[in-house]
Amino acid sequence: MKAAPFAYDACDSTTQALALLQPRAGDADDALLLPCSGTQSLGPMLNLRLSRPARLVDLSRIPALNAVTRQGGRLRIGAAVTHARIEDGDAAGVPDVTRGLLPQVAAHIAYRAVRNRGTVGGSLAHGDPAGDWVSVMTLLDAQLLIAGPSGERRVASSGFYAGPYTTALQAGEILAAVEVPVFSDRARWAYRKLCRKPGELADAIAGLWFDPALGVARAVLGAPDGMPHTVSGEAAVQALRDPVAVGLQLDALHITDPVQRGWHQAMLRRAWLDIDTASP
Amino acid sequence: MKPNDLPLHGVGAALQRKEDERFLHGRGQYVADIRLPGLLDVAFVRSPLAHGRLGAITKPAGFEDAVYTMDDLVGVRPIRAVSGLPGFKPSDQWPLARGKVRQVGETIAMCVAASRALAEDLAEQVQVEIEALPAVVDMLAARGLAPAALVHDDWGDNVFLHTHVRGDLAAIKASAPIQVRRHIRTARQSMAPMEGRGVVCQWDSRLDQLVMHTAAQMPHINRAGLSECLGIDQGRIRVIAPDVGGGFGYKGILLPEEICLAWLAMKLQRPVRWIEDRGEQLTANANCREHDYDITLYAESDGRLLAVDCDATVDSGAYSSYPFSACLEAAQVGSILPGPYKMAAYDCRTWSVATNKPPILPYRGVARTGVCFAIELMMDAVARAAGITPQAVRLANLVQPQEMPYDNITGKHFDSGDYPQALNRAVEALDLPKWRARQAAGNEPHIRIGVGHSIYCEQAAHGTSIYHGWGIPMVPGYEACHARLTPDGVLELRIGAHSHGQGMETTLAQVANSVLGIDEQRVRLVHGDTAMSPYSTGTWGSRCAVMSGGAVAAACQALLERVQAIAAALLNAPAATLRAVDGGLTDPASGRRVTLAEVAHAWYRQPQRMPADVHPAGLEVTAGYKAQRDTGTFSYAAHACAVAVDTELGTVQILDYVICEDGGVLLNPLIADGQVLGGLAQGIGSALYEEMPFDADGQPLAPTLADYLLPGATEVPMARLDHMETPSPYTAFGQKGIGEGGAIAPPAAIVNAINDALAALGVEITECPASPRRILQALQRARAARAGLAQAAVSA
Amino acid sequence: MTPITLHVNGRTLRADSEDRTSLADHLREQLGLTGTHIGCEHGVCGACTVQLDGAPVRACITLAAACQGRALRTVEGFADDPLMAQLRAAFSAEHALQCGYCTPGMLITAHDIATRLPQADEELIRLELAGNLCRCTGYRGIVRAIQRVLAERLSLPTR
């Protein structure tokens, strides 16, 4: 399975990338111009000829997109930062500000060889509802920084996805970074995903996040059909200890398959167990 | 045997493999690694529909001479693999589709370009008109007398072959105290070796010969098939199997793609290449294991079997593949369903059904995996009905060691073995009391522990007397080996079978060591090349340890006599007294010794020293071999396992897995264990993970490895192996074929364990893979049934 | 066609490939390094695993052009690597290969495990191997070979 033909451009600045993503003379009217970084999600789609860009613009070497900076109560992670760097944490220049959540999630994405190339921005821009970062950033209500011809704009996770593989990115824009909150030392979290085998995309995801110092109580139900679903507010989240309440959430999401419902219930139940039995 | 008891050389040594060296350095040469000047790549246009009438094929403008359809392949004949069994209906499989397409992925046109990517670009531009026809997907529905659609229009039905092994069960049916009936299914699978198929083909004008490199298990058979389809004599065809990345039966076939590439190489007078990609491999070739059993066991109240009665159906796909034919698997069910058990009566009807799916091929274990699954689940059901343990019901019915050799109810001649001992050892090694205690304790919510067993015997290396009755394009006869010493004393062995992972470069060198005393490092195996090796039906059916091993032993024995005669002249000692050991021949009387290298040097370089009566053919012999009795060896094994079923998720974790296997004398225990463990992983795949579903239109639904789940390192437990060694009385060293066994028993053992775990909840799984969805749905049905009963009890 | 310069196994190699060409195809077809095998082209089976700047990556879903100027190591490039020599010896001793097709990718992943996770237990070794499929061995030999090498390296006297 070999990809359909396309042109490839590398670049080393955001400005250059944005310029390369503008149509040029000679491009067909419907030419698809795609940013890429690790091509770990895009690669299989190219090889299967499910994605047929006219041009790929490689963002992976842009220094600004590889930078990780702490700005007050937030950590800004460049879009081209690999899953492996997040997994390795401090040793790879990505401080762990989420009391282990981000490194643990990263460590269970696909396989190490894929993590060495795949990027957090690439996953988020790809928008597979079964992907871990999509669920986790939604749980954290992370801010997505988008760079475009008219400058940088900021979109909350809750507003970033219109549906599977459908993001707020317009043609000619790139995801520049994601900003996650810095947890207080009173934060507690749980993240459970159900996979048939390690490295597979999840059949069901459940995430919980409490941070009293930040006034946060959030839950996420993720994968595989629709975009992740969040519940926020202490009372509403605690109500999800009751399978009946969870069932109502699943009803609202039109998840009717009893097996799928059972998996979501199971992941949430186990997430509660993790939260309740975790050491402070 | 403990490792310390093993010999260091020869048969029985756990020698590290000679072939490892090149593979560990990335210097293997698989078909995709072959580079020829001017090589062109081929991509196929394949049918997107499972069933349809082929209309116009429009080649892209300007590239008409780079695209070929069947109309261009003038004089090329279709693949037609017939069986001699009465009533068999033959099929014509055109190398490029003609008239109809009968499976998703069927080849329609071939496109040639400078690279595979460019060839695929071309293939996308070929327009094909297909008038869709209803797809035949459900083999039970298709089996009927008035099916909605016909795969082959001139057949009248969709049945390649119906067989009936007849028995008289009337009295037993009327009186048997225990009668247990189940509907048991195994899913369609893809064999999925890590390397797919591939062909590199060129015409050698100097030799006036087609030279085809192909990832194949049976080069001589491919050669015969190519000759029949291309209409050129076999002398003008050379087939070479290079390093082959796994076979398991997948590469034991004449491919339409091989015929196309051969024709193209002759047409273009340039080398051409087609390498199967994983998408093609999964979607166009998911071609094994789909069985359906409507089976009833009749027994006494104490669990002793009286009879087995069965309707067995095998989904055989659209065409009869060459050489095994479409009916081999289903017909085999009829003859092996009784397994290792005794019974008074047996009646079995089988159907090989044609469907709009890829043609069936025999996958490791062939029908045995489905048969073992069916009969072993039934034995557990009989045990429950009789109120005895699964172990006890088997012990009551297994052929006993003192009855060996034993001719069973279908005429299978079991050569040797102690089946009850294998079962007992496996169960004991599992430590049943430990698992029963954990099961009873039930400490973990949502987790149910279960234990299960299965036992089978595996016919291997059966030959002429068995195969001629099938009437398929291949009947194994004598297995040949050509052996010669080079002028400097290296032994070259030429055989027609071929290794695709079994380590024959090592095991056959060990055989040579046992006969000739030559160090394994001074033995070279030449195999897989029709120009260089004697005829063989190839590597399949676990036959090589027996047949190639026997042939090598025979050739080395004949060579030994030649060597002894020359050494006798050199040492001035009687030939018969000379002992071959440590690379030379020793005269025990004088202690004097001459090496094989010296003997070879004398023959080739100093013929003046030869005795007058020296054999004129010198140090080059060809020998043929058949087992003393060619009805096959019967290796066997008992598998026992403990599982944990998560009733919330439907997942199954294998906690412990034990195998007690008996392969007779093992040529190389390290390699034999590797075969068993590799088979186990595939068996676990069949049991829990692997399935190629098809929708109602015949579309395969698991087209990538993200959908078709192969067991990885986290799915296969560290199994424990126990060995017994009951030699076969019929083979050169007492060895038996064991390559397939590991893949036969796991689905039965694992599903029996799942059923043991869930029996208290009223669940009985009769289908594999026992996926989480199937388990959860069975639990849900059982809950609903209990609720219904409770409701009825309340209202009563 | 784009000229691509890669530093492969210590040598600088230049060859042209189309932009769409995967690293795996570029290595195999343009550079003649056929030790890296293709098993799926969707990043799952691991047969194509090579080292890019010292870390394992999938050559089948990485573009050759994206590796411009980078340092690569394929299975052919470990002739003088002591860890790889240990792994090869262990693979042979533990019968960790049969057909050999998955072996190059397995070795590169094993090299990464031994380097990055020197104290990995059996469970972690198996998890790290999840991205390398083998259809022949059932993984026991591969796991044991890696365990053997980890144990050998842990028992080395520290300076």
Side-chain angles (χ1 to χ4, degrees):
Chain A
M1 298 146 9
K2 309 300 179 188
F6 56 81
Y8 167 91
D9 287 316
C11 57
D12 51 23
S13 76
T14 308
T15 314
Q16 194 185 0
L18 294 173
L20 287 167
L21 284 167
Q22 292 302 312
R24 41 182 106 132
D27 281 345
D29 288 340
D30 59 349
L32 187 61
L33 311 173
L34 286 183
C36 71
S37 47
T39 69
Q40 301 298 281
S41 300
L42 188 58
M45 296 186 62
L46 291 171
N47 290 343
L48 290 165
R49 300 199 173 208
L50 294 173
S51 178
R52 294 166 179 263
R55 201 148 68 239
L56 286 187
V57 178
D58 189 343
L59 312 176
S60 61
R61 302 197 206 204
I62 298 174
L65 265 49
N66 281 284
V68 179
T69 53
R70 176 131 172 202
Q71 293 160 353
R74 312 191 77 77
L75 187 74
R76 177 178 168 130
I77 304 173
V81 171
T82 63
H83 312 310
R85 282 186 63 197
I86 299 174
E87 174 183 5
D88 294 346
D90 286 314
V94 184
D96 173 20
V97 302
T98 59
R99 302 199 79 199
L101 171 60
L102 255 56
Q104 172 157 315
V105 169
H108 290 92
I109 294 173
Y111 326 100
R112 182 71 182 187
V114 171
R115 299 198 285 277
N116 280 327
R117 290 284 297 166
T119 66
V120 60
S123 288
L124 290 170
H126 182 65
D128 185 333
D132 291 277
W133 292 133
V134 170
S135 280
V136 171
M137 296 311 174
T138 302
L139 175 68
L140 301 180
D141 200 18
Q143 304 272 298
L144 298 159
L145 289 313
I146 298 170
S150 24
E152 191 172 273
R153 64 192 180 95
R154 177 181 288 268
V155 177
S157 296
S158 49
F160 188 67
Y161 294 105
Y165 310 101
T166 314
T167 72
L169 288 168
Q170 305 295 314
E173 290 186 317
I174 63 170
L175 190 57
V178 58
E179 279 185 2
V180 300
V182 174
F183 288 10
S184 78
D185 56 13
R186 293 167 59 198
R188 290 171 302 136
W189 59 267
Y191 185 77
R192 282 272 186 159
K193 69 171 177 176
L194 179 64
C195 300
R196 279 290 273 145
K197 283 175 36 172
E200 293 281 305
L201 287 166
D203 287 319
I205 291 174
L208 296 168
W209 175 41
F210 298 94
D211 196 336
L214 301 178
V216 165
R218 286 174 69 81
V220 72
L221 289 171
D225 299 316
M227 297 318 283
H229 174 70
T230 49
V231 172
S232 59
E234 186 74 29
V237 174
Q238 292 293 341
L240 296 177
R241 289 178 180 277
D242 178 1
V244 173
V246 176
L248 292 173
Q249 296 287 341
L250 296 172
D251 290 343
L253 291 167
H254 307 293
I255 296 174
T256 54
D257 172 26
V259 169
Q260 189 66 44
R261 290 174 71 96
W263 286 338
H264 281 293
Q265 292 273 13
M267 288 301 101
L268 202 46
R269 185 186 71 76
R270 292 166 196 228
W272 280 118
L273 210 56
D274 292 342
I275 280 251
D276 293 341
T277 54
S279 38
Chain B
M1 260 192 192
K2 298 197 180 79
N4 298 336
D5 298 338
L6 298 176
L8 292 176
H9 289 278
V11 169
L15 217 58
Q16 290 186 31
R17 298 191 336 162
K18 296 171 63 187
E19 45 266 80
D20 285 355
E21 181 68 13
R22 65 182 183 277
F23 296 132
L24 290 167
H25 286 89
R27 289 197 294 263
Q29 190 177 63
Y30 304 86
V31 67
D33 301 337
I34 293 169
R35 296 288 171 268
L36 297 173
L39 187 67
L40 294 173
D41 269 307
V42 167
F44 284 93
V45 177
R46 294 181 179 274
S47 175
L49 297 182
H51 198 196
R53 296 208 187 284
L54 198 53
I57 304 172
T58 308
K59 304 180 185 182
F63 291 95
E64 292 84 354
D65 58 353
V67 178
Y68 301 90
T69 68
M70 198 63 219
D71 286 346
D72 297 307
L73 273 56
V74 176
V76 175
R77 293 196 278 271
I79 298 171
R80 193 174 171 95
V82 296
S83 161
L85 295 177
F88 179 79
K89 297 191 192 70
S91 63
D92 280 344
Q93 182 180 18
W94 293 95
L96 293 170
R98 163 168 279 173
K100 279 178 81 172
V101 291
R102 295 184 176 86
Q103 59 154 112
V104 169
E106 180 162 357
T107 48
I108 293 176
M110 80 175 139
C111 304
V112 58
S115 73
R116 174 64 181 247
L118 291 168
E120 287 187 16
D121 294 344
L122 205 50
E124 277 193 321
Q125 296 173 57
V126 175
Q127 290 168 20
V128 182
E129 286 174 11
I130 304 176
E131 175 205 327
L133 294 170
V136 178
V137 177
D138 177 345
M139 60 176 165
L140 294 182
R143 203 183 84 185
L145 289 173
L150 287 176
V151 177
H152 296 282
D153 298 346
D154 55 342
W155 281 15
D157 64 19
N158 290 314
V159 179
F160 279 101
L161 183 70
H162 169 61
T163 70
H164 190 174
V165 178
R166 293 176 194 276
D168 184 0
L169 270 61
I172 290 171
K173 285 184 183 180
S175 64
I178 291 179
Q179 306 197 9
V180 183
R181 180 180 182 184
R182 295 290 188 275
H183 186 197
I184 294 175
R185 288 205 66 132
T186 59
R188 189 167 260 258
Q189 285 184 231
S190 179
M191 295 184 232
M194 293 318 297
E195 181 209 31
R197 301 153 168 173
V199 186
V200 171
C201 209
Q202 63 176 6
W203 182 262
D204 185 323
S205 52
R206 178 180 70 88
L207 296 176
D208 188 37
Q209 190 180 57
L210 179 77
V211 180
M212 173 178 289
H213 303 260
T214 177
Q217 296 175 221
M218 305 138 72
H220 287 273
I221 302 296
N222 289 57
R223 183 194 200 193
L226 283 167
S227 171
E228 289 166 24
C229 293
L230 294 170
I232 60 180
D233 67 63
Q234 293 199 32
R236 296 173 79 209
I237 301 175
R238 176 181 179 187
V239 176
I240 304 167
D243 285 326
V244 175
F248 319 116
Y250 188 64
K251 296 168 182 170
I253 180 175
L254 173 71
L255 292 177
E257 292 90 343
E258 284 172 333
I259 299 167
C260 290
L261 275 268
W263 179 87
L264 192 65
M266 292 191 288
K267 162 93 177 161
L268 298 181
Q269 294 291 304
R270 283 183 67 170
V272 290
R273 172 174 74 172
W274 166 73
I275 303 299
E276 180 180 62
D277 66 34
R278 187 62 66 183
E280 291 174 292
Q281 190 269 300
L282 288 173
T283 57
N285 291 296
N287 54 12
C288 53
R289 290 273 192 270
E290 191 169 1
H291 292 197
D292 184 284
Y293 300 84
D294 181 353
I295 180 171
T296 307
L297 263 59
Y298 300 89
E300 299 285 14
S301 49
D302 62 0
R304 273 175 301 129
L305 274 187
L306 291 167
V308 172
D309 185 71
C310 184
D311 281 339
T313 310
V314 173
D315 188 318
S316 304
Y319 298 108
S320 182
S321 54
Y322 184 106
F324 289 105
S325 93
C327 70
L328 186 88
E329 186 138 335
Q332 191 184 54
V333 170
S335 70
I336 63 171
L337 186 58
Y341 299 112
K342 295 180 290 192
M343 61 197 68
Y346 172 68
D347 192 292
C348 183
R349 288 80 53 201
T350 79
W351 287 265
S352 305
V353 178
T355 61
N356 290 119
K357 293 177 191 168
I360 193 168
L361 287 186
Y363 175 33
R364 196 175 201 170
V366 197
R368 246 170 279 284
T369 303
V371 157
C372 180
F373 188 66
I375 203 77
E376 290 298 284
L377 260 61
M378 293 305 288
M379 292 303 281
D380 269 26
V382 168
R384 286 192 288 273
I388 62 177
T389 68
Q391 186 178 4
V393 75
R394 286 168 174 82
L395 292 173
N397 290 293
L398 286 169
V399 173
Q400 298 295 312
Q402 63 273 16
E403 295 173 299
M404 293 292 185
Y406 180 83
D407 292 314
N408 85 342
I409 192 155
T410 55
K412 297 289 177 195
H413 181 81
F414 298 162
D415 55 354
S416 69
D418 188 344
Y419 302 157
Q421 188 188 151
L423 179 64
N424 289 334
R425 283 167 71 152
V427 173
E428 189 180 324
L430 188 69
D431 191 356
L432 210 51
K434 173 179 93 176
W435 295 109
R436 290 291 179 221
R438 269 189 69 175
Q439 199 175 31
N443 286 334
E444 302 149 79
H446 303 287
I447 298 293
R448 297 266 172 160
I449 305 283
V451 293
H453 333 304
S454 63
I455 184 167
Y456 70 91
C457 60
E458 174 196 354
Q459 184 179 27
H462 33 309
T464 314
S465 67
I466 305 289
Y467 263 88
H468 79 91
W470 293 97
I472 62 172
M474 173 185 75
V475 180
Y478 286 92
E479 192 73 13
C481 171
H482 177 89
R484 78 174 174 204
L485 284 172
T486 62
D488 53 355
V490 168
L491 177 65
E492 290 179 345
L493 298 171
R494 288 175 164 67
I495 62 162
H498 188 63
S499 232
H500 43 269
Q502 299 89 337
M504 290 199 284
E505 291 169 42
T506 305
T507 52
L508 296 179
Q510 291 174 250
V511 170
N513 173 275
S514 284
V515 178
L516 269 172
I518 186 169
D519 190 289
E520 286 91 350
Q521 301 306 316
R522 286 179 68 76
V523 180
R524 298 175 59 82
L525 186 69
V526 177
H527 61 332
D529 184 337
T530 60
M532 304 262 274
S533 62
Y535 183 84
S536 168
T537 56
T539 303
W540 49 274
S542 307
R543 64 189 298 271
C544 289
V546 170
M547 298 306 289
S548 305
V552 166
C556 287
Q557 183 57 43
L559 192 59
L560 176 61
E561 286 159 24
R562 308 277 180 89
V563 166
Q564 280 171 321
I566 295 170
L570 299 176
L571 292 173
N572 199 21
T577 66
L578 299 178
R579 289 172 44 243
V581 68
D582 287 337
L585 283 95
T586 307
D587 173 14
S590 67
R592 286 167 57 231
R593 181 181 150 77
V594 67
T595 66
L596 288 171
E598 286 166 337
V599 168
H601 184 84
W603 164 257
Y604 287 103
R605 302 282 294 270
Q606 300 169 322
Q608 66 277 13
R609 298 174 66 196
M610 294 299 107
D613 60 351
V614 73
H615 194 293
L619 299 175
E620 201 156 324
V621 303
T622 300
Y625 170 79
K626 250 196 198 188
Q628 277 182 46
R629 187 183 158 131
D630 76 347
T631 51
T633 62
F634 282 82
S635 64
Y636 57 98
H639 290 213
C641 67
V643 303
V645 182
D646 186 317
T647 56
E648 193 181 30
L649 301 178
T651 52
V652 176
Q653 185 190 359
I654 302 172
L655 300 173
D656 196 13
Y657 203 103
V658 175
I659 300 175
C660 180
E661 64 85 28
D662 186 338
V665 171
L666 300 180
L667 296 184
N668 181 320
L670 192 64
I671 289 176
D673 280 2
Q675 293 299 301
V676 173
L677 292 170
L680 170 63
Q682 291 179 308
I684 289 172
S686 299
L688 296 174
Y689 298 97
E690 293 182 47
E691 177 174 13
M692 177 59 75
F694 287 78
D695 69 14
D697 295 322
Q699 293 293 322
L701 297 176
T704 73
L705 289 181
D707 312 295
Y708 190 86
L709 299 178
L710 295 177
T714 48
E715 285 68 58
V716 184
M718 200 68 99
R720 296 182 287 123
L721 300 186
D722 183 15
H723 297 90
M724 292 165 56
E725 187 178 291
T726 315
S728 172
Y730 305 129
T731 63
F733 300 97
Q735 76 275 36
K736 300 185 180 183
I738 57 132
E740 294 170 85
I744 292 173
I750 291 169
V751 173
N752 276 342
I754 293 170
N755 287 341
D756 182 66
L758 301 180
L761 296 174
V763 166
E764 186 182 345
I765 305 287
T766 54
E767 195 174 358
C768 69
S771 63
R773 181 166 287 273
R774 286 198 176 98
I775 289 176
L776 290 172
Q777 286 172 338
L779 283 163
Q780 170 56 29
R781 280 195 302 274
R783 271 196 297 274
R786 281 200 303 279
L789 286 173
Q791 196 75 20
V794 166
S795 6
Chain C
M1 297 291 269
T2 303
I4 297 179
T5 300
L6 302 172
H7 306 289
V8 187
N9 302 335
R11 294 160 58 212
T12 301
L13 300 175
R14 289 180 196 83
D16 291 352
S17 261
E18 289 185 284
D19 282 359
R20 60 170 158 173
T21 303
S22 70
L23 177 62
D25 280 332
H26 184 80
L27 289 168
R28 292 177 51 78
E29 304 295 326
Q30 265 39 70
L31 301 183
L33 291 164
T34 57
T36 301
H37 299 149
I38 292 176
C40 72
E41 295 182 302
H42 30 281
V44 173
C45 79
C48 70
T49 308
V50 298
Q51 263 191 15
L52 177 64
D53 295 331
V57 299
R58 297 282 201 250
C60 71
I61 49 174
T62 299
L63 294 174
C67 300
Q68 191 78 259
R70 306 282 285 272
L72 285 158
R73 228 169 164 192
T74 66
V75 67
E76 297 99 329
F78 286 87
D80 302 322
D81 184 279
L83 170 57
M84 194 57 95
Q86 277 180 290
L87 285 166
R88 289 198 189 103
F91 265 53
S92 202
E94 298 289 349
H95 191 34
L97 62 151
Q98 291 183 22
C99 81
Y101 200 76
C102 77
T103 304
M106 280 292 177
L107 286 171
I108 301 236
T109 295
H111 194 279
D112 178 62
I113 293 171
T115 307
R116 191 169 48 89
L117 303 163
Q119 299 184 311
D121 61 8
E122 181 187 332
E123 191 182 338
L124 184 55
I125 291 172
R126 285 181 181 273
L127 187 61
E128 291 290 322
L129 286 174
N132 286 81
L133 295 177
C134 173
R135 202 53 165 157
C136 292
T137 67
Y139 304 101
R140 184 174 88 163
I142 297 168
V143 172
R144 282 188 174 173
I146 295 171
Q147 285 177 310
R148 184 192 273 230
V149 172
L150 293 188
E152 282 170 12
R153 290 166 71 82
L154 281 177
S155 68
L156 286 172
T158 52
R159 288 175 198 260

